[in-house]
């Protein structure tokens, strides 16, 4: 079925389908600029009406059957002409695509519901989506196929755009296509708006001033916590204030449970899942977290984005770290021993097989990591302190002990005696 001009197509469609202005206009939505689909639909209906009028005047006998159907399908705009030629009241029909609900009413309804939702959820930005697979969409696709239409806009697209516009008028909340607070998913089939609450990300740093504190919450098989406190638990205060489900910690690497994190603190991003509050000052969140335990402190620096989480995880490998280690040695230390350590571990490449203590959860690989410098200080005859500046990802306890030959070279190798790290602190994490 091919019709050359728009009017031929329009008449063919209106002969078989009653359509509201919006839906008719949308079938030709790619034509003309600066028009709404409603304006397009009205223009097409007026043109169709005029063409039918001409045919009725010129050839009543051959035109009247088709004209009756087309005028009925045009609806309100055709009332006077219909009355004049067919001597009866035109009964309005429901639109073949949007049905009884009428697109304009739907857009209005979804926009109002959306504004309500956005306010309840403290949204600063949003986008609108429309679920696929509704009956309305199927009816529209059938007409597009049947009449071989090329310049249509989809109903999902029109609803997305128009509801978005209306919300901005009603509530003055801007659209954000890349990182909206809320995705408003319109469900045409069930006639409702489903909000998807996007996470809120906050970047900052944490300090761990005590030992035996894990980074994330560590739950044992019996349901009990392995450690009394974790950094992630203290961050749940943020989730509470923002009325979210929970807070997830994304950090740039992690220290051992028995190591402290001092000095510069460790960069992190806190992800709050499904927050219902967003306009809260960082100061308030920070204070709430810092009240939980004297051993954990955080500083919040600002809002972050999803992509920052990936970045902070990637940076892990590229960080430079400074550790402070307290080391006990199986012999009496001579002045020369510590000098040897400092001289030997200047820009030294270390070959490190995955330590035995983490083999149960990490693949067994050999990696190369750099030690940039070591500074030492003797404490007693067989205990010394070392400041070790090295590449992120180096296992420092094993650098000291040698891990039965799995880390080479090690402090034990150079001292020619067994050395062991008894206390470890991270004092600097530089991105
Ligand atoms: Zn319609």
């Amino acid at each position: 079925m091919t019709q050359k001009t728009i009017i031929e197509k329009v008449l063919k469609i209106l002969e078989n389908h009653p359509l509201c202005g919006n839906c008719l206009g949308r079938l030709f939505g790619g034509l003309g600029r600066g028009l709404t689909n409603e304006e397009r639909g009205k223009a097409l209906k007026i043109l169709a009406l005029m063409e039918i009028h001409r045919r009725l005047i010129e050839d009543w006998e051959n035109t009247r059957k088709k004209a009756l159907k087309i005028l009925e399908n045009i609806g309100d705009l055709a009332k006077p002409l219909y009355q004049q030629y067919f001597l009866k009241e035109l009964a309005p029909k429901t639109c073949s695509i949007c049905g009884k609900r009428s697109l304009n009413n739907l857009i209005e309804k979804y926009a109002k519901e959306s504004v309500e939702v956005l306010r309840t959820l403290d949204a600063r930005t949003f986008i609108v989506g429309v679920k696929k697979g509704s009956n309305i969409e199927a009816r529209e696709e059938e007409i597009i196929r049947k009449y071989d239409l090329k310049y249509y806009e989809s109903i999902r697209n029109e609803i997305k755009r128009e509801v978005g516009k209306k919300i901005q008028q009603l509530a003055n909340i801007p659209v954000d296509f890349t990182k909206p607070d809320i995705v408003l998913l319109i469900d045409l089939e069930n006639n409702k708006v489903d909000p998807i609450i996007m996470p809120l990300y906050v970047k900052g740093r944490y300090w761990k001033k005590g030992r035996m504190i894990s980074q994330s919450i560590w739950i044992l098989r019996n349901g009990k916590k392995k450690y009394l406190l974790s950094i992630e638990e203290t961050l749940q205060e943020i989730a509470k204030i923002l009325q979210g489900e929970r807070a997830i910690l994304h950090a740039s690497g992690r220290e051992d449970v028995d190591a402290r994190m001092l000095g510069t603190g460790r960069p992190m991003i806190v992800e709050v899942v499904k927050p219902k509050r967003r306009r809260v000052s960082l100061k308030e969140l920070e204070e709430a977290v810092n009240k939980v335990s004297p051993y954990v402190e955080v500083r919040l620096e600002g809002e972050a984005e999803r992509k920052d989480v990936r970045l902070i995880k990637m940076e892990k490998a590229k960080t430079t770290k400074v550790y402070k280690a307290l080391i006990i040695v199986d012999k009496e230390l001579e002045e020369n021993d510590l000098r040897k350590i400092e001289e030997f571990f200047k820009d030294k490449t270390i070959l490190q097989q995955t330590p035995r203590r983490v083999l149960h959860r990490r693949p067994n690989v050999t990696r190369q990591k750099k030690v940039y410098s070591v500074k030492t200080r003797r404490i007693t005859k067989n205990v010394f302190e070392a400041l070790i500046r090295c590449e992120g990802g180096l296992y420092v306890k094993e650098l000291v002990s040698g891990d039965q030959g799995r880390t080479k070279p090690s402090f034990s190798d150079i001292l020619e005696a067994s050395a062991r790290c008894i206390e470890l602190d991270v004092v600097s994490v530089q991105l």
Side-chain angles (χ1 to χ4, degrees):
M1 187 178 309
T2 48
Q3 296 87 22
K4 284 206 173 60
T5 62
I6 293 177
I7 183 64
E8 280 172 299
K9 262 192 195 214
V10 169
L11 289 174
K12 205 74 210 165
I13 297 167
L14 285 175
E15 198 183 319
N16 298 309
H17 304 281
L19 288 172
C20 70
N22 257 327
C23 289
L24 179 62
R26 198 176 55 253
L27 294 177
F28 300 88
L31 300 174
R33 288 284 173 265
L35 300 168
T36 64
N37 286 331
E38 202 175 5
E39 284 167 344
R40 286 188 183 88
K42 190 172 182 187
L44 293 173
K45 282 186 175 187
I46 291 172
L47 186 59
L49 192 67
M50 290 164 69
E51 177 61 19
I52 293 301
H53 194 182
R54 182 185 69 79
R55 291 183 192 181
L56 286 172
I57 294 168
E58 291 177 8
D59 188 2
W60 161 257
E61 265 318 306
N62 288 320
T63 308
R64 68 188 173 98
K65 259 176 92 180
K66 224 188 243 182
L68 182 79
K69 280 204 279 181
I70 290 174
L71 292 179
E72 280 173 351
N73 287 343
I74 287 175
D76 281 351
L77 273 172
K79 266 185 177 165
L81 196 68
Y82 187 84
Q83 175 84 42
Q84 183 191 336
Y85 278 85
F86 300 103
L87 308 171
K88 54 184 176 181
E89 192 71 22
L90 187 149
K93 292 183 171 179
T94 56
C95 174
S96 272
I97 295 176
C98 67
K100 280 198 195 75
R101 295 192 273 163
S102 128
L103 196 55
N104 269 338
N105 291 343
L106 280 183
I107 288 167
E108 187 84 27
K109 170 189 142 73
Y110 293 140
K112 280 186 178 154
E113 267 178 52
S114 296
V115 167
E116 198 77 4
V117 165
L118 292 177
R119 286 193 173 135
T120 316
L121 295 175
D122 197 23
R124 299 159 303 176
T125 56
F126 73 97
I127 49 166
V128 180
V130 179
K131 267 191 199 171
K132 281 187 177 173
S134 64
N135 279 322
I136 289 189
E137 201 186 337
R139 289 197 290 271
E140 177 183 66
E141 276 167 6
E142 200 193 311
I143 291 179
I144 287 164
R145 251 199 330 272
K146 193 166 153 193
Y147 299 96
D148 192 24
L149 301 174
K150 290 192 190 74
Y151 301 104
Y152 65 89
E153 182 194 10
S154 74
I155 189 160
R156 289 180 48 232
N157 213 44
E158 176 165 28
I159 291 179
K160 243 188 277 184
R161 193 189 57 239
E162 293 302 319
V163 171
K165 261 199 245 166
K166 190 126 242 167
I167 291 170
Q168 294 181 83
Q169 283 166 13
L170 291 172
N172 198 22
I173 300 173
V175 170
D176 186 332
F177 292 104
T178 54
K179 44 180 178 59
D181 285 349
I182 307 287
V183 177
L184 297 159
L185 202 54
I186 292 177
D187 181 348
L188 290 169
E189 214 40 41
N190 299 302
N191 200 19
K192 63 185 169 84
V193 179
D194 284 332
I196 300 170
I197 305 174
M198 304 307 279
L200 180 83
Y201 300 95
V202 182
K203 63 177 173 219
R205 280 167 183 267
Y206 75 78
W207 286 260
K208 196 171 102 184
K209 300 174 192 164
R211 304 188 191 279
M212 307 322 283
I213 297 169
S214 59
Q215 193 182 63
S216 42
I217 302 167
W218 191 328
I219 306 287
L220 296 167
R221 269 204 204 117
N222 62 14
K224 290 196 175 125
K225 290 194 293 181
K226 180 154 184 193
Y227 300 104
L228 280 177
L229 184 63
S230 65
I231 307 290
E232 202 170 40
E233 272 171 276
T234 68
L235 298 174
Q236 299 313 309
E237 292 302 311
I238 298 179
K240 268 190 230 162
I241 293 172
L242 299 180
Q243 295 175 29
E245 278 182 0
R246 68 201 160 98
I248 301 168
L249 168 62
H250 305 282
S252 177
R254 75 168 72 203
E255 63 287 331
D256 290 328
V257 167
D258 58 0
R260 292 184 296 182
M261 178 67 239
L262 308 171
T264 59
R266 186 181 292 276
M268 64 165 180
I269 289 178
V270 185
E271 173 181 356
V272 181
V273 179
K274 296 192 178 173
K276 295 193 186 69
R277 285 278 154 277
R278 289 177 189 264
R279 280 171 254 237
V280 176
S281 81
L282 293 179
K283 199 101 211 109
E284 185 183 334
L285 300 175
E286 198 176 280
E287 278 168 8
V289 174
N290 289 339
K291 259 185 225 155
V292 178
S293 161
Y295 298 109
V296 175
E297 190 183 322
V298 300
R299 197 173 67 213
L300 303 179
E301 290 155 2
E303 209 167 314
E305 299 174 25
R306 165 99 251 159
K307 67 174 194 315
D308 298 329
V309 173
R310 230 178 20 249
L311 279 176
I312 205 171
K313 299 246 164 192
M314 269 160 37
E315 276 164 357
K316 179 168 99 178
K318 286 184 261 159
T319 51
T320 297
K321 302 214 168 123
V322 180
Y323 293 89
K324 191 175 81 185
L326 197 62
I327 296 160
I328 187 161
V329 190
D330 250 6
K331 69 167 189 182
E332 204 158 311
L333 289 163
E334 289 163 31
E335 203 43 51
N336 202 31
D337 286 328
L338 296 184
R339 207 169 314 131
K340 250 166 50 189
I341 293 254
E342 292 189 357
E343 270 162 28
F344 186 85
F345 288 98
K346 235 175 231 164
D347 289 322
K348 203 81 190 166
T349 301
I350 310 294
L351 285 178
Q352 193 159 55
Q353 261 181 286
T354 305
R356 286 169 300 142
R357 66 185 164 95
V358 298
L359 259 183
H360 63 285
R361 57 190 164 92
R362 298 274 161 82
N364 189 11
V365 292
T366 303
R367 52 179 106 196
Q368 283 191 19
K369 293 282 171 187
K370 268 226 139 129
V371 172
Y372 302 117
S373 66
V374 177
K375 289 266 170 298
T376 58
R377 184 163 67 104
R378 205 162 96 149
I379 309 281
T380 69
K381 60 186 192 329
N382 67 334
V383 173
F384 71 102
E385 194 179 74
L387 270 183
I388 303 161
R389 205 162 77 85
C390 60
E391 213 176 320
L394 177 84
Y395 292 100
V396 173
K397 286 175 184 166
E398 283 70 21
L399 170 73
V400 172
S401 72
D403 197 24
Q404 293 183 356
R406 295 173 70 87
T407 292
K408 271 187 218 158
S410 68
F411 285 20
S412 290
D413 289 345
I414 304 310
L415 294 167
E416 293 172 33
S418 155
R420 190 160 54 88
C421 179
I422 46 177
E423 265 186 19
L424 187 64
D425 296 328
V426 188
V427 291
S428 165
V429 177
Q430 289 153 356
L431 293 179

